[in-house]
Amino acid sequence: GAVVSQHPSWVICKSGTSVKIECRSLDFQATTMFWYRQFPKQSLMLMATSNEGSKATYEQGVEKDKFLINHASLTLSTLTVTSAHPEDSSFYICSASESSYEQYFGPGTRLTVT
Amino acid sequence: TQLLEQSPQFLSIQEGENLTVYCNSSSVFSSLQWYRQEPGEGPVLLVTVVTGGEVKKLKRLTFQFGDARKDSSLHITAAQPGDTGLYLCAGAPPGGSNYKLTFGKGTLLTVNP
């Protein structure tokens, strides 16, 4: 149980284009979903918290107009990186929580912006 | 702002050795989770500790939550190459309902055969 999927697992895009990443909880309903960014050999950096049907709460320093988050249902959240630039290249990971502090993570999406 | 200090940051040991990873804070947490992450993958939840003084064992891994719920440790006995990975501790704040976790900076463990 508690399986979270992400799609795509990796994506290469050109600078200036937008990329959408999907996060799905496969066998439970996620009250809350989180989006993280991770640099090589470093810990997770929380970008935003989203609850189904409401606006996401962004962490300080994260541009909400650049990283658009939609949590349309209890099993799906999307992160759209708009007008991507090479500095946005990173490993993006989502997690989902049902009703406790335990978060279950997706496998991550490797984004490379050329 | 709650902070979790995780140490050591890097650890390289030989197969069969024992090791301990620490997470310390000046803040109280309602629970603390330990995750293991392999390169190119998402973190996998290993254990959640909730009660002060709690000890949980998962095969060769022993997790302990401090009495005051401000610190935790992960001890691995007879480490194996398959234990290699990034170990993350994460604490949940007392009260509240947004389930936002505070993560330590991680311990990158390499177990050499």
Side-chain angles (χ1 to χ4, degrees):
Chain A
V3 179
V4 177
S5 69
Q6 266 183 258
H7 178 79
S9 56
W10 60 270
V11 58
I12 301 173
C13 70
K14 292 187 176 181
S15 186
T17 62
S18 295
V19 174
K20 180 184 284 188
I21 303 170
E22 290 186 351
C23 177
R24 294 180 184 273
S25 57
L26 298 184
D27 52 1
F28 68 100
Q29 293 187 325
T31 309
T32 308
M33 286 186 168
F34 303 85
W35 286 95
Y36 295 85
R37 186 172 178 175
Q38 187 177 34
F39 293 102
K41 299 183 179 180
Q42 294 188 23
S43 188
L44 307 173
M45 183 185 79
L46 180 65
M47 298 175 66
T49 303
S50 74
N51 294 291
E52 184 262 340
S54 61
K55 290 184 178 180
T57 302
Y58 290 82
E59 294 300 299
Q60 192 172 8
V62 178
E63 299 176 59
K64 62 180 181 180
D65 294 331
K66 180 170 186 60
F67 299 99
L68 301 178
I69 292 173
N70 183 281
H71 193 162
S73 75
L74 285 172
T75 59
L76 173 64
S77 177
T78 60
L79 166 68
T80 301
V81 183
T82 63
S83 187
H85 291 285
E87 56 266 31
D88 298 324
S89 298
S90 191
F91 193 51
Y92 292 88
I93 309 176
C94 72
S95 71
S97 177
E98 186 175 17
S99 59
S100 72
Y101 287 106
E102 291 184 345
Q103 293 183 22
Y104 298 94
F105 287 84
T109 296
R110 171 73 57 193
L111 170 63
T112 302
V113 184
T114 60
Chain B
T1 303
Q2 294 186 308
L3 294 174
L4 263 176
E5 298 289 336
Q6 191 170 342
S7 62
Q9 190 174 356
F10 300 97
L11 190 55
S12 180
I13 61 172
Q14 293 299 120
E15 182 176 3
E17 293 183 357
N18 302 332
L19 67 113
T20 303
V21 178
Y22 300 93
C23 267
N24 297 294
S25 176
S26 58
S27 304
V28 175
F29 294 98
S30 64
S31 67
L32 198 137
Q33 285 84 47
W34 284 92
Y35 295 85
R36 185 167 78 95
Q37 183 182 23
E38 297 191 22
E41 299 181 10
V44 175
L45 179 66
L46 296 175
V47 78
T48 299
V49 286
V50 178
T51 305
E54 182 177 5
V55 177
K56 281 191 174 180
K57 291 192 175 183
L58 188 67
K59 297 184 180 178
R60 294 178 292 101
L61 279 60
T62 301
F63 304 86
Q64 187 165 7
F65 202 14
D67 291 341
R69 291 186 286 133
K70 293 182 179 180
D71 55 87
S72 181
S73 64
L74 157 62
H75 182 79
I76 300 179
T77 304
Q80 298 177 0
D83 296 327
T84 294
L86 178 67
Y87 289 81
L88 296 161
C89 63
S97 60
N98 66 2
Y99 306 136
K100 193 166 80 171
L101 296 175
T102 297
F103 278 86
K105 290 189 175 182
T107 296
L108 189 59
L109 170 66
T110 302
V111 182
N112 302 297

